[in-house]
């Protein structure tokens, strides 16, 4: 069973060739560490996003690995260089078959 979540990408839709663009990516996810217990003493299973990747025209330009210490709804801010018009794909993968994918287009002139 695949879980889904809301994701949001903030980045420019146009840029000059060679310019640095800032990208903000967020996924709504509770990020359960696996270290907490319920009131009845049962261990709450770990459920975190493990990997985030960004590909620009099918070339990976950013990757982050996450661990249980990451808070809920992780916000990732990074930069890349606008090299050509195309598509950026953002992918979050996690425990319990979690996968979220989002895309954004950029026009480079």
């Amino acid at each position: 069973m695949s879980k889904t979540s809301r994701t949001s990408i903030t980045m420019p839709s146009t840029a000059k060739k060679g310019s640095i663009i800032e990208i903000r990516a967020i996924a709504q996810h509770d990020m359960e560490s696996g270290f907490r217990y319920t009131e009845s003493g049962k261990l709450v299973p770990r459920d975190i996003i493990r990997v985030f990747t960004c590909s620009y025209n099918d070339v990976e330009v950013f990757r982050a690995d996450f661990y249980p210490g990451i808070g809920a709804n992780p916000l990732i801010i990074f930069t890349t260089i606008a090299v050509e018009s195309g598509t950026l794909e953002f992918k979050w993968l996690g425990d319990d078959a979690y996968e979220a994918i989002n895309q954004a287009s950029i026009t480079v002139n």
Side-chain angles (χ1 to χ4, degrees), residues 49-106:
I49 295 171
R50 292 187 319 267
V51 178
F52 168 80
T53 57
C54 173
S55 298
Y56 186 173
N57 288 340
D58 297 321
V59 176
E60 188 174 289
V61 294
F62 184 84
R63 178 184 188 92
D65 294 321
F66 295 127
Y67 299 92
I70 296 292
N73 308 321
L75 170 65
I76 303 143
I77 302 171
F78 62 99
T79 60
T80 192
I81 298 173
V83 292
E84 63 187 4
S85 296
T87 303
L88 284 85
E89 181 177 84
F90 307 90
K91 187 182 288 188
W92 294 261
L93 300 173
D95 294 334
D96 201 21
Y98 175 84
E99 180 179 72
I101 299 172
N102 199 336
Q103 292 185 336
S105 297
I106 188 165

Side-chain angles (χ1 to χ4, degrees), residues 12-55:
S13 59
T14 61
K16 290 188 179 224
K17 186 172 181 134
S19 66
I20 296 173
I21 57 170
E22 181 180 88
I23 300 167
R24 294 172 177 255
I26 189 169
Q28 289 188 341
H29 192 287
D30 291 338
M31 300 292 277
E32 185 55 58
S33 70
F35 298 122
R36 288 186 330 112
Y37 291 87
T38 65
E39 288 181 14
S40 63
K42 184 179 176 190
L43 185 64
V44 178
R46 185 180 99 157
D47 185 11
I48 67 168
I49 295 171
R50 292 187 319 267
V51 178
F52 168 80
T53 57
C54 173
S55 298

